[in-house]
Structure formats: C-alpha cells, structure tokens
Amino acid sequence: MQDIFEGLNDAQRAAVSHVDGPMLTLAGPGSGKTRVVTHRIAHLLQQGVSPFSIIALTFTNKAAQEMKKRLERLTDDSSVWMGTFHGYCARFLRHYGRLVGLSENFSIYDADDSKSAIEQSVLDSGVSLTHLKIGDIIRGIGKLKNSAITPDMMEEPGRSALDHAIQKVYVAYQKQLLVNNAVDFDDLLMHTATILRTNEDLRADLDAKHRYILVDEYQDTNLAQYLIVRGLSLDHPNINVTGDPDQSIYGWRGADISNILNFERDYPGVKIVRLEQNYRSTPEILSVADTLIENNRRRKAKRLIPTRSSGTKVALRTYIDARQEADMIADQIASAILEEKANARDFAILYRTNNQSRLLEQALLKRKLNYQLIGGYRFYHRQEIRDLLAYLRLVNNPTDDISFKRIINVPARGLGEKTLAQVNELARNREIPMLVALRAAIDRGMLSRKAQTGAKQFLTLYDQLVEESSNSIVAMLQKLLQETKYIEYLAAKKSEAPDESVEGNVQELISDASEVDLVNEDGNALQQFLEQVSLSSDTDSLTSDDRVTLMTLHSAKGLEFDHVYIIAIEQDILPHVRSRHNNDQLEEERRLFFVGITRARETLQLSNAMQRGFGGNQMAAPSPFLMELPRAEMSLADGGDEEGSMASDLDDSWGESWGDGSESDFPKALERKARRARESSWKSLPKLQSGSEMIAAATLAGVPVDEFEAGMRVRHPAYGQGTILSTEGFGPKRMVRIDFDQGDRKSFQLSKSPLELA
C-alpha cells in the first residue's frame, strides 16, 4: 500500500487521518476532495477497519467510478461499496423491499414511464385536468417523495384544487406501482427511508454493519437522503460528509442546503476541516468566483486560495444577438484548434437551459468541429432502445404493465386500442397483471380472430424470451431481433423512418449487455443490467474523445475543462425567471453561476447578448450577477473586437451605472448600449428600445410588463384567473394572450390592462 499522506497539504492530512466520530469536510471547487475521500478510505483500511464496514455514497456514477479507480491504485482491497445514493437504495430494496410490498425483481421506471403511470392514475382517481396541468401534479408527487412522505402519512390537503388532485393521484399512483411491482426514481429513496424509519431492529443492524459512512456532495441531499444517512449513523456516528454549500444547485428537485448548514447541530462534537487550496483554476478565475459568491447569505465562509500562477483575465463579451454569440465562440475555438494546436476536448460551452444549444451546434457544425452534447436526447431514451428494454423488463418482471403496454403491438400484431382496453379492464377487475389478463382473454375467447392470432404470437415470443433468459441477455436480444425483425419493422414505417444510427444503437445496446453477461456470476445478469440502465445519468455519456463539450451548468457539476465559455448571462436566463421573487432561489442561481465559473482551469469567457429569444429580436437585459463581478480581474470587450466601441460603452456603464450594484441602474446601462447600437446602424437590431423604456412600462395595476411570461398564473378583475399562453414584444407595446379558467381566451396590451400576477 502506498504512503497515504504523501503529497497532501495540512488540511487534507487532517481529513484523511480522522477515524472515529463525525467530520464535516468543507471542500471548495478544485480542492482535491475526491483525493481526500479515497485516501481516507485507504487510511481506514490501514487502521484495520473491515472494507465491508465502509460505504461511500456519491451523486453520479462517474464520481463513483473515479473513486473506485483511485482506491484501486492505493490499495489491493476493492471490497468497499462505492456508488450513488440511488444505486445503494436499489440494492437495499432488492433485499428488504418486501417490507413495503416489493418483490426482488421490481422494475425501475424512468421519467417517461412514470408519467404514463401517473396519467393512468389521473383517470383511475377521477381527477379532471381541465384547469390543472399534469406537470404540476408530477412535481407535487415528487416533492412529497423527496420529503419521504408516503400516501398514508399525508395530512388533509390544502384548499387549492391542485393540492386535492395531487393527494388523490398520489394514492392511486402508488397503488398502481405496487401492483406493477415497480418504483420510480424517487421511490428508491423514499422506500429506503421508510423502511429504516419503521423497522428499528433492521436499522440498528445496518447501523452496526455500516460503521463508517462517507457522503460526497452532501449539500445536494434531500430530506429522504438525510433520513437514510441519519438512520445509518445514529448508534455509530462515524460519518464524514464532504461538500460545499456554495455548490448546492439542486433545490428545484428537492435538495435542502440546510442539511449541510445544520450538520454541526445534528452531530455534536463534529470535526470541521476546510479544504480551501484550489489546484484547478488561475487566481483571476478564483477571484471572480469568490467575489460573486460572497453575495450569498446562506453559506459557510471559506476562501478559494489559488496554488497556480497568474493567467489571463476573465473575459466578458457582449454580442449583438445569440447567433453572433454562437458564431464568434465557434470561431475562437476553431482558431485555437487550427492555429494553436489546441485539443477540442479542452473546450466546454455551458448554458442555463438545454434549448440554448441549437445555435451552438449549428455554429460548430458549420466549422466542421466535432462536439458532444450532454443532456440532449439520451441513448437510453431512443425509441429503439426503449422498445427493446421494455421486452427485457417484462421478462424480468411479468407484472410490469407499463412495459407490457409499450410492446404488446410492437411490431404491429393487430392488437389495437380496443383490444388493449379489453385486456386492461379484465386486469383491473380481477386485480391481475395485464400479461396474465391477456392469457385469460384468449382462454375466454374475448378477442377478435385477428387479435387472438396476434396475442398468441406475442405470448409465444414472450415465452421464448423467458427461456433464453437462462442463457444470457445477448441471447435474448438476438432472439428478439430475429423473431420480430424489429430493425426492418422500423425501416418500413413510412412516417417514422429510423435514421442510419438505429442499427448502430441496437448493436451498442447488445455490446453493453455482453459486458454484464461476462462479469455476472450469480445468475441475475438481466436484473443487474436493467438496474444499470435505469440508474444511468446524462454525464455517463461524457467521453474523452477529442470533441468540444456542450452542456448545461447543472450537468457540468464535478467536471473541469481548460477553456470554458458561459453564455446567455442575462436577466430571466441566469438568474432564471422563476427566481425573480424568491431570494433562496436567487441564491441558488448565483451558486449555479459559481459552479460554472469554477469549472475553468486556464481561461474563462462570460457572455451576454443584446437580443435573444423567438426570432432573435427581443431585447435582453444583462444579468444582475454581472454587476457583482470584480472589474479589475476582467477584460471587457464586444463580440467582434478586443477594444470595440461596445466594450468601451459597457466599461462606462459598469463604472458609472452599475457601480453601486442596485437594480435601478439597469435602465441606464441598457439605454447606453441601445443608443450605441443605433448610432452604429446595425441592421440586425431593428426598432431597438432603450432599457428604460423596456423596464419602466407597467400594467394599470402597477406590475412591470416584463414580469409576465408564458406559463404564469394571472388575475384580471373582469375575467378572473388564467394562465398565460404566450407573450409578444416588449415595453409599452408588450402583448399577452391568456387562457382564462372560465373558458375565455383573451389578448391584452399589458400597459393598458389591469392585469396582476396571481
């Protein structure tokens, strides 16, 4: 075994050498926290701790794999369990799921499968969606599960129709999942937390077994994850959580920053170690990051101490529009690759939302630059992959009605909606799975002759696949493709002809399955493969190929690149429009920006555009976060020049108008930039309005017109409440179209209407 402490700084040594008792490791970005976690595990093993007494919980498969590789280089013992929270909970439920009504072969539903099941539950519960959105119900159920609230724990719902709907659908949805012997992603956590909370003897046994628990990215845990960690460390609180409150960016999906902020309260006598030395970024980049995040109140004070020598200043560029932004960034990357012999893999372009990738993709393709898009259309979400996996899931779990419905008529067997409705009704009346109901329908002669023939064909194929499952996953897939001629079936569909990659995708799936076949020795290869697929994430597809990386700021968490571009740093994008009236959400948006900044090693460019949106002709306001950045460490320029006129204008507006950091200074800055643009006669900026005109306009009720966006709920004194369908224009002429709950659809010029936010 290597010298565990070789090359560690004092703070890292303090964290690695700790053995018993709770410890909080506050680890800033680039501070070597992965190294500390793996070296601490190696040190525990050196101290005679059994590897089976240690579990390390991470948030991504990529982080777990990196830890495993590092630990293998430090020690020969690879028996320590390392994986994601969801991976641990899936394994836990294979053993103890019966305590919440699950069999060992349960299915794990992805977001699409879960949505289908919830839509069925809406029908089963009699809830009307006339004035409700299915997305709101899905989010409401997810919020309950992230808080480990089961249907039987729910209190009386609130007064709103949405609260009542969520409660009714949640009850029906959980009943359907149990009938299908299935869980969704949130269930993995909720069921585990529930079992630990309601079975004291089991909890105590596992607490004694898992004597040493290490949790990475603790700032991103939700209440269910908190309960799991807490339950496993009550009697033996040898728990080490590593994290950074300044990088808590998943509040929108239930993460609670209070978990890490209150860790000292939960575990008295905790040892606190601060990892502040940064080995990743230049001093200039770290200064910008530090200055930004100091504006947050909910944090634990720490510094980012650079260990590298100075580099180039952080660039802030303002472009005419989003297309120029994409084109100029692509030109910079192409120039660096062609003239400076840089590698494409060293460049990353980060953005707030996935829909901002389109222009970037076009610009890179135009310059023949290879790129990888993370968080786009994922491999396991492709039609051909989902269809084949549905067959495998039904073989593994015959009660999985969602998978049954997906593939019963794929390829077409004459089993249409009418047949499916008959089978579904029989299944519900007799409380049996649809697969069993199909066999019963054949025996009873309930189906038409054509449907009877198709049903028998399907069941024959299914039984053959079950027989092949004793051999290998690959054998099943090959049998399935051979019997169904699936690829030919897709090619024959005129309206949905598959592209050339379909066959390659199928072969990639077979290759993935073969890897599991090779390493599996306990006879549950299919179950292991399906679990691996279900727990995959966007960043699992990240490769080391020589490609420019495009990804959201959320996906970039935990990664680093030599050269980083962060685009669209504008009001209502970063920070997102949803954070406008919520200080906690605004702080999370600032943390997200902080995460993006600290991904950069060598160079960082931040940019905003003067126009962005549908048609590219909507005025865009710079983000208030730009006012919080340190001028001295940054280079200001327009999109085309290093020292262009817009750069000078931006510099003036920063110094004169943005100096005190108040939002009231925004109109001055925008007005300067708009006036400069008009004076330059840029044809791509038609009918520019000044920032003061844009922001000053308000409804008769006094609400700024720029606060109204599609999807928001509003109130009109004559028409009541409704939902905004669309908006158009800006300033005094900004229009809005509304779908009112009473059934009317109306359009208003906002500055002349008494409209309010509901």
Side-chain angles (χ1 to χ4, degrees):
M1 186 177 285
Q2 295 183 15
D3 180 359
I4 301 302
F5 297 98
E6 183 180 355
L8 301 180
N9 62 40
D10 291 342
Q12 291 173 334
R13 284 173 174 266
V16 169
S17 61
H18 182 75
V19 177
D20 293 322
M23 179 170 65
L24 169 62
T25 307
L26 293 172
S31 61
K33 69 180 179 68
T34 302
R35 187 182 191 195
V36 168
V37 172
T38 51
H39 280 243
R40 179 164 185 262
I41 293 173
H43 179 64
L44 289 174
L45 295 174
Q46 273 190 343
Q47 300 304 303
V49 174
S50 167
F52 301 105
S53 298
I54 305 171
I55 58 171
L57 299 171
T58 69
F59 271 79
T60 65
N61 295 316
K62 193 174 185 65
Q65 291 165 3
E66 177 63 24
M67 285 187 182
K68 289 176 183 176
K69 290 178 182 177
R70 294 195 185 195
L71 187 60
E72 287 173 358
R73 292 197 292 266
L74 292 172
T75 175
D76 296 331
D77 198 327
S78 59
S79 303
V80 175
W81 194 90
M82 290 182 171
T84 64
F85 264 98
H86 291 88
Y88 173 81
C89 292
R91 187 182 69 158
F92 177 93
L93 292 175
R94 298 292 178 200
H95 290 283
Y96 307 111
R98 65 184 183 281
L99 297 173
V100 288
L102 293 171
S103 299
E104 183 182 356
N105 62 332
F106 62 81
S107 298
I108 302 175
Y109 285 171
D110 63 16
D112 292 335
D113 296 324
S114 175
K115 183 180 179 182
S116 297
I118 289 178
E119 288 171 343
Q120 179 62 52
S121 299
V122 169
L123 298 175
D124 293 344
S125 59
V127 168
S128 171
L129 293 180
T130 304
H131 300 298
L132 300 173
K133 295 180 180 179
I134 189 69
D136 291 335
I137 294 176
I138 292 172
R139 283 187 288 274
I141 292 174
K143 186 176 180 180
L144 289 168
K145 292 188 176 187
N146 285 329
S147 298
I149 298 175
T150 58
D152 60 301
M153 294 171 60
M154 287 189 296
E155 300 176 354
E156 287 297 316
R159 298 177 61 185
S160 74
L162 178 60
D163 288 337
H164 282 275
I166 290 171
Q167 185 174 47
K168 293 181 69 175
V169 174
Y170 185 25
V171 172
Y173 176 50
Q174 289 307 104
K175 180 180 179 181
Q176 183 185 169
L177 286 175
L178 287 177
V179 169
N180 291 358
N181 190 33
V183 299
D184 62 24
F185 217 51
D186 294 328
D187 279 328
L188 292 170
L189 302 175
M190 184 186 73
H191 285 323
T192 302
T194 299
I195 291 172
L196 290 174
R197 185 174 53 197
T198 57
N199 295 269
E200 174 57 25
D201 289 343
L202 174 61
R203 185 211 62 77
D205 287 345
L206 292 174
D207 192 330
K209 177 182 178 182
H210 302 314
R211 289 294 183 97
Y212 296 88
I213 300 175
L214 299 92
V215 184
D216 193 17
E217 306 288 4
Y218 191 65
Q219 76 279 351
D220 290 325
T221 52
N222 59 30
L223 180 56
Q225 289 163 322
Y226 168 84
L227 292 172
I228 292 168
V229 172
R230 185 71 169 153
L232 295 176
S233 58
L234 276 176
D235 306 325
H236 305 278
N238 301 319
I239 178 172
N240 172 204
V241 300
T242 302
D244 179 8
D246 291 339
Q247 297 185 70
S248 178
I249 59 173
Y250 293 110
W252 52 276
R253 68 182 189 194
D256 188 352
I257 193 175
S258 298
N259 291 348
I260 192 168
L261 294 177
N262 296 332
F263 187 78
E264 297 156 78
R265 180 200 65 189
D266 294 335
Y267 296 90
V270 60
K271 178 177 181 177
I272 300 177
V273 177
R274 284 178 167 82
L275 304 182
E276 297 178 309
Q277 287 184 272
N278 181 285
Y279 298 92
R280 176 188 299 161
S281 307
T282 63
E284 290 79 5
I285 294 171
L286 295 181
S287 176
V288 170
D290 253 340
T291 305
L292 171 75
I293 204 62
E294 284 174 356
N295 290 277
N296 272 9
R297 291 174 296 176
R298 299 191 72 196
R299 63 189 300 257
K300 286 184 178 290
K302 68 176 187 322
R303 298 170 299 161
L304 298 180
I305 303 172
T307 59
R308 299 185 52 189
S309 57
S310 293
T312 59
K313 288 186 175 183
V314 172
L316 173 61
R317 291 177 179 266
T318 297
Y319 295 98
I320 298 172
D321 55 26
R323 185 170 295 279
Q324 189 199 43
E325 180 181 52
D327 285 338
M328 295 300 292
I329 289 174
D331 280 342
Q332 290 180 51
I333 295 174
S335 176
I337 292 173
L338 295 175
E339 298 176 14
E340 302 172 22
K341 306 304 179 184
N343 296 311
R345 71 172 69 90
D346 296 331
F347 294 86
I349 309 175
L350 311 180
Y351 35 81
R352 178 61 178 82
T353 56
N354 275 314
N355 60 7
Q356 292 169 297
S357 70
R358 183 178 60 85
L359 291 177
L360 294 167
E361 291 184 76
Q362 291 176 358
L364 294 173
L365 286 171
K366 185 177 179 181
R367 290 154 183 80
K368 295 182 172 56
L369 293 174
N370 293 326
Y371 68 90
Q372 57 180 333
L373 179 65
I374 307 300
Y377 198 53
R378 291 167 51 186
F379 175 75
Y380 289 116
H381 283 196
R382 297 182 182 277
Q383 178 191 344
E384 61 271 20
I385 303 303
R386 289 179 61 83
D387 286 347
L388 297 177
L389 288 175
Y391 273 102
L392 299 186
R393 284 192 352 198
L394 191 62
V395 169
N396 183 62
N397 176 15
T399 64
D400 186 348
D401 287 352
I402 295 296
S403 294
F404 175 89
K405 290 177 183 178
R406 182 176 185 90
I407 47 86
I408 182 62
N409 204 37
V410 175
R413 302 182 177 92
L415 301 171
E417 292 297 325
K418 181 179 178 181
T419 302
L420 196 60
Q422 287 178 293
V423 175
N424 189 48
E425 183 178 3
L426 179 61
R428 294 190 175 279
N429 289 340
R430 296 180 59 180
E431 295 186 350
I432 57 177
M434 292 185 71
L435 182 63
V436 177
L438 182 64
R439 296 186 191 274
I442 294 175
D443 294 339
R444 289 183 171 193
M446 294 173 55
L447 308 180
S448 67
R449 180 177 299 177
K450 182 179 180 182
Q452 185 98 344
T453 300
K456 288 181 177 179
Q457 289 175 349
F458 172 77
L459 291 173
T460 298
L461 171 63
Y462 178 80
D463 292 339
Q464 290 174 340
L465 295 177
V466 171
E467 186 176 345
E468 288 290 351
S469 67
S470 62
N471 296 323
S472 70
I473 311 170
V474 171
M476 265 193 297
L477 287 171
Q478 291 174 336
K479 183 70 173 180
L480 174 58
L481 293 169
Q482 176 186 335
E483 293 296 326
T484 62
K485 294 182 172 50
Y486 179 78
I487 294 177
E488 293 85 344
Y489 154 74
L490 282 185
K493 292 179 69 175
K494 296 180 181 179
S495 61
E496 299 180 27
D499 58 37
E500 296 177 355
S501 66
V502 168
E503 191 167 358
N505 291 334
V506 171
Q507 290 304 317
E508 185 174 341
L509 180 68
I510 292 175
S511 176
D512 290 346
S514 68
E515 292 181 10
V516 177
D517 278 336
L518 286 173
V519 300
N520 186 270
E521 297 178 352
D522 56 8
N524 64 345
L526 178 58
Q527 182 173 294
Q528 180 181 328
F529 177 64
L530 292 173
E531 185 174 304
Q532 175 180 301
V533 168
S534 299
L535 300 181
S536 65
S537 65
D538 291 339
T539 53
D540 290 345
S541 61
L542 185 67
T543 72
S544 58
D545 295 344
D546 198 24
R547 299 171 181 269
V548 177
T549 300
L550 306 180
M551 65 198 319
T552 64
L553 288 160
H554 283 98
S555 296
K557 177 76 175 296
L559 304 175
E560 57 183 55
F561 302 89
D562 281 354
H563 312 288
V564 171
Y565 297 83
I566 305 178
I567 69 167
I569 307 173
E570 296 151 18
Q571 180 66 46
D572 293 344
I573 296 179
L574 184 65
H576 196 277
V577 64
R578 288 193 298 265
S579 67
R580 180 174 288 197
H581 303 294
N582 187 304
N583 286 334
D584 286 344
Q585 291 181 12
L586 184 64
E587 288 207 352
E588 179 160 317
E589 291 291 303
R590 189 179 285 110
R591 292 194 293 268
L592 184 61
F593 190 18
F594 173 83
V595 166
I597 290 171
T598 54
R599 299 311 94 194
R601 287 190 289 247
E602 305 288 344
T603 67
L604 172 67
Q605 176 177 302
L606 314 175
S607 64
N608 66 298
M610 298 178 67
Q611 291 185 321
R612 194 181 303 272
F614 298 107
N617 58 1
Q618 293 185 1
M619 192 71 173
S623 168
F625 292 157
L626 296 179
M627 296 189 298
E628 301 171 356
L629 304 183
R631 178 178 177 183
E633 279 78 7
M634 304 187 70
S635 169
L636 310 182
D638 71 11
D641 304 306
E642 288 301 319
E643 301 294 339
S645 58
M646 247 171 65
S648 174
D649 182 47
L650 180 58
D651 189 56
D652 290 343
S653 66
W654 195 324
E656 296 174 18
S657 299
W658 297 6
D660 64 0
S662 66
E663 287 199 30
S664 62
D665 291 327
F666 259 110
K668 298 178 183 178
L670 287 169
E671 190 171 7
R672 283 177 174 275
K673 294 174 71 176
R675 184 175 67 250
R676 176 72 70 181
R678 286 197 296 273
E679 291 171 355
S680 300
S681 300
W682 282 329
K683 295 181 180 180
S684 59
L685 299 177
K687 300 180 181 179
L688 263 178
Q689 299 253 349
S690 71
S692 57
E693 292 174 316
M694 180 182 73
I695 293 179
T699 68
L700 296 178
V703 183
V705 300
D706 65 315
E707 291 194 10
F708 294 86
E709 296 291 346
M712 287 184 173
R713 296 285 292 172
V714 294
R715 182 186 299 105
H716 190 281
Y719 298 101
Q721 292 196 9
T723 302
I724 298 178
L725 295 175
S726 62
T727 61
E728 182 177 352
F730 47 85
K733 295 184 179 180
R734 185 172 175 82
M735 298 291 295
V736 63
R737 183 162 177 77
I738 302 170
D739 182 8
F740 286 101
D741 295 349
Q742 297 177 351
D744 296 321
R745 287 194 175 185
K746 299 288 183 179
S747 296
F748 302 94
Q749 183 173 330
L750 285 168
S751 61
K752 297 180 179 180
S753 77
L755 209 61
E756 297 179 296
L757 297 175

